[in-house]
Amino acid sequence: GSSQSHSRGMVGGWHPQAVRAVFLAGAFLFLGEFRRLRRRALRSARCTLVVKLGGSAVTDKTCFETVRVAALRETACALSRSPLLAGTVLVHGAGSFGHFHAREHGVSRGTAHSAFSWRGFALTRSSVTRLNGIVLTALLEQGIAACGLPPFPRWVLCGGALTDTDAPLGEVRSLLSRGVVPVLHGDAVFDEARGAAILSGDTLVEELCAALRPTRAVFLTGIRAC
């Protein structure tokens, strides 16, 4: 009787606990392999072009938060026709967005500066993200699948130098692997030594080129719309 009862609890000759253990082991192996393949796919995400769109190219730096609408539209149109579009990363400067607030509140000089305030930090970020939205709208209107990747809070400086960039670069690679154009910009960020700082678009371009090894890097400044 007891042997029959015991055999009824078996699954194909296997004890249920053994079956559960084998299932869990297989699940862990599958998950590990999935993560490995995903990491490999992200690493192989091909970046063909990094474009730096200077703030003076699409904004009037002498006038607070003023966009050069025709120049921005022309740039977005040209980018939409690029044969390298699928692997493009776009970085734009702040221009007349952000610089006024950053200068007034000493954001680039850190929290110890007499003019610094976290409200000024927030105003700077609000301004540059507003320009990012305008740039994204121009790209989307030209049929470009573009998504904004604001540097704050993942990109962090220490004494003005970038710290660990694995996570934010992973986000860039993730978008590239899906055929989406990542759009980054100069931003106000945390600095582990100074409290706060400005991460310039030029610094972002240098880091992106070093990590992604694009075929080309193009800098657009002072564009005049036709």
CSV table of all heavy atoms in Angstrom, one decimal, residues 157-181:
chain,number,residue,atom,x,y,z
A,157,LEU,N,29.2,63.3,-13.2
A,157,LEU,CA,30.6,63.8,-13.2
A,157,LEU,C,31.2,63.7,-11.9
A,157,LEU,O,30.5,63.6,-10.8
A,157,LEU,CB,30.6,65.2,-13.7
A,157,LEU,CG,30.0,65.5,-15.1
A,157,LEU,CD1,30.1,67.0,-15.4
A,157,LEU,CD2,30.8,64.8,-16.2
A,158,CYS,N,32.5,63.7,-11.9
A,158,CYS,CA,33.3,63.9,-10.6
A,158,CYS,C,34.5,64.8,-10.9
A,158,CYS,O,35.4,64.4,-11.6
A,158,CYS,CB,33.8,62.5,-10.1
A,158,CYS,SG,34.7,62.6,-8.5
A,159,GLY,N,34.4,66.0,-10.4
A,159,GLY,CA,35.4,67.0,-10.7
A,159,GLY,C,35.4,67.4,-12.1
A,159,GLY,O,36.5,67.7,-12.7
A,160,GLY,N,34.3,67.3,-12.8
A,160,GLY,CA,34.2,67.6,-14.2
A,160,GLY,C,34.4,66.5,-15.2
A,160,GLY,O,34.2,66.7,-16.4
A,161,ALA,N,34.9,65.3,-14.6
A,161,ALA,CA,35.1,64.2,-15.5
A,161,ALA,C,34.0,63.2,-15.3
A,161,ALA,O,33.5,63.0,-14.2
A,161,ALA,CB,36.5,63.5,-15.2
A,162,LEU,N,33.7,62.5,-16.4
A,162,LEU,CA,32.6,61.5,-16.4
A,162,LEU,C,33.0,60.3,-15.5
A,162,LEU,O,34.2,59.9,-15.5
A,162,LEU,CB,32.3,61.0,-17.8
A,162,LEU,CG,31.4,61.9,-18.7
A,162,LEU,CD1,31.5,61.4,-20.1
A,162,LEU,CD2,30.0,61.9,-18.1
A,163,THR,N,32.1,59.8,-14.8
A,163,THR,CA,32.3,58.6,-14.0
A,163,THR,C,31.8,57.4,-14.8
A,163,THR,O,31.8,57.4,-16.0
A,163,THR,CB,31.6,58.7,-12.6
A,163,THR,OG1,30.2,58.8,-12.8
A,163,THR,CG2,32.1,59.9,-11.8
A,164,ASP,N,31.3,56.3,-14.1
A,164,ASP,CA,30.8,55.1,-14.8
A,164,ASP,C,29.7,55.4,-15.8
A,164,ASP,O,28.7,55.9,-15.4
A,164,ASP,CB,30.3,54.1,-13.7
A,164,ASP,CG,29.9,52.8,-14.3
A,164,ASP,OD1,30.3,52.5,-15.5
A,164,ASP,OD2,29.3,52.0,-13.6
A,165,THR,N,30.0,55.1,-17.0
A,165,THR,CA,29.0,55.4,-18.1
A,165,THR,C,28.3,54.1,-18.7
A,165,THR,O,27.6,54.2,-19.7
A,165,THR,CB,29.7,56.2,-19.2
A,165,THR,OG1,30.7,55.4,-19.8
A,165,THR,CG2,30.2,57.5,-18.7
A,166,ASP,N,28.5,53.0,-18.0
A,166,ASP,CA,28.0,51.7,-18.6
A,166,ASP,C,26.5,51.8,-18.8
A,166,ASP,O,25.9,51.4,-19.8
A,166,ASP,CB,28.4,50.5,-17.7
A,166,ASP,CG,29.8,50.2,-17.9
A,166,ASP,OD1,30.5,50.7,-18.8
A,166,ASP,OD2,30.4,49.4,-17.1
A,167,ALA,N,25.8,52.2,-17.7
A,167,ALA,CA,24.3,52.2,-17.7
A,167,ALA,C,23.8,53.2,-18.8
A,167,ALA,O,22.9,52.8,-19.6
A,167,ALA,CB,23.7,52.6,-16.4
A,168,PRO,N,24.2,54.5,-18.8
A,168,PRO,CA,23.6,55.3,-19.9
A,168,PRO,C,24.0,54.9,-21.3
A,168,PRO,O,23.2,55.1,-22.2
A,168,PRO,CB,24.2,56.7,-19.5
A,168,PRO,CG,25.4,56.5,-18.6
A,168,PRO,CD,25.0,55.2,-17.9
A,169,LEU,N,25.2,54.4,-21.5
A,169,LEU,CA,25.6,53.9,-22.8
A,169,LEU,C,24.8,52.7,-23.2
A,169,LEU,O,24.5,52.5,-24.4
A,169,LEU,CB,27.1,53.6,-22.8
A,169,LEU,CG,28.1,54.7,-22.9
A,169,LEU,CD1,29.5,54.3,-22.7
A,169,LEU,CD2,27.9,55.5,-24.2
A,170,GLY,N,24.4,51.9,-22.2
A,170,GLY,CA,23.5,50.7,-22.5
A,170,GLY,C,22.2,51.2,-23.0
A,170,GLY,O,21.6,50.5,-23.9
A,171,GLU,N,21.7,52.3,-22.5
A,171,GLU,CA,20.4,52.8,-23.0
A,171,GLU,C,20.5,53.3,-24.4
A,171,GLU,O,19.6,53.1,-25.2
A,171,GLU,CB,20.0,54.0,-22.1
A,171,GLU,CG,19.6,53.6,-20.7
A,171,GLU,CD,19.3,54.8,-19.8
A,171,GLU,OE1,19.7,55.9,-20.2
A,171,GLU,OE2,18.7,54.6,-18.7
A,172,VAL,N,21.7,53.9,-24.8
A,172,VAL,CA,21.9,54.4,-26.1
A,172,VAL,C,21.9,53.2,-27.1
A,172,VAL,O,21.3,53.1,-28.1
A,172,VAL,CB,23.2,55.2,-26.2
A,172,VAL,CG1,23.5,55.5,-27.7
A,172,VAL,CG2,23.1,56.5,-25.4
A,173,ARG,N,22.7,52.1,-26.7
A,173,ARG,CA,22.8,50.9,-27.5
A,173,ARG,C,21.4,50.2,-27.6
A,173,ARG,O,21.1,49.7,-28.7
A,173,ARG,CB,23.8,50.0,-26.8
A,173,ARG,CG,25.3,50.4,-26.9
A,173,ARG,CD,26.2,49.3,-26.4
A,173,ARG,NE,27.6,49.7,-26.6
A,173,ARG,CZ,28.4,50.1,-25.6
A,173,ARG,NH1,27.9,50.3,-24.4
A,173,ARG,NH2,29.6,50.4,-25.8
A,174,SER,N,20.7,50.3,-26.6
A,174,SER,CA,19.3,49.6,-26.6
A,174,SER,C,18.5,50.3,-27.7
A,174,SER,O,17.8,49.6,-28.4
A,174,SER,CB,18.7,49.7,-25.2
A,174,SER,OG,17.4,49.1,-25.2
A,175,LEU,N,18.5,51.6,-27.7
A,175,LEU,CA,17.7,52.3,-28.8
A,175,LEU,C,18.2,52.0,-30.2
A,175,LEU,O,17.4,51.7,-31.1
A,175,LEU,CB,17.7,53.8,-28.5
A,175,LEU,CG,16.8,54.3,-27.3
A,175,LEU,CD1,16.9,55.8,-27.2
A,175,LEU,CD2,15.4,53.9,-27.4
A,176,LEU,N,19.5,52.0,-30.3
A,176,LEU,CA,20.1,51.8,-31.6
A,176,LEU,C,19.8,50.4,-32.1
A,176,LEU,O,19.5,50.2,-33.3
A,176,LEU,CB,21.7,51.9,-31.5
A,176,LEU,CG,22.2,53.3,-31.4
A,176,LEU,CD1,23.7,53.3,-31.2
A,176,LEU,CD2,21.9,54.1,-32.7
A,177,SER,N,19.8,49.4,-31.2
A,177,SER,CA,19.5,48.0,-31.6
A,177,SER,C,18.0,47.9,-32.1
A,177,SER,O,17.7,46.9,-32.8
A,177,SER,CB,19.7,47.1,-30.4
A,177,SER,OG,18.8,47.2,-29.4
A,178,ARG,N,17.2,48.8,-31.8
A,178,ARG,CA,15.8,48.8,-32.2
A,178,ARG,C,15.5,49.8,-33.4
A,178,ARG,O,14.4,50.0,-33.7
A,178,ARG,CB,14.9,49.1,-31.0
A,178,ARG,CG,14.9,48.0,-29.9
A,178,ARG,CD,14.3,48.5,-28.6
A,178,ARG,NE,14.1,47.4,-27.7
A,178,ARG,CZ,15.1,46.9,-26.9
A,178,ARG,NH1,16.3,47.4,-27.0
A,178,ARG,NH2,14.9,45.9,-26.1
A,179,GLY,N,16.6,50.3,-33.9
A,179,GLY,CA,16.4,51.3,-35.0
A,179,GLY,C,15.9,52.6,-34.6
A,179,GLY,O,15.3,53.3,-35.5
A,180,VAL,N,16.0,53.0,-33.4
A,180,VAL,CA,15.6,54.3,-32.9
A,180,VAL,C,16.8,55.2,-32.7
A,180,VAL,O,17.8,54.8,-32.3
A,180,VAL,CB,14.9,54.1,-31.5
A,180,VAL,CG1,14.4,55.5,-31.0
A,180,VAL,CG2,13.7,53.2,-31.7
A,181,VAL,N,16.6,56.5,-33.1
A,181,VAL,CA,17.6,57.5,-33.0
A,181,VAL,C,17.6,58.1,-31.6
A,181,VAL,O,16.7,58.8,-31.2
A,181,VAL,CB,17.5,58.6,-34.0
A,181,VAL,CG1,18.5,59.7,-33.8
A,181,VAL,CG2,17.5,58.0,-35.4
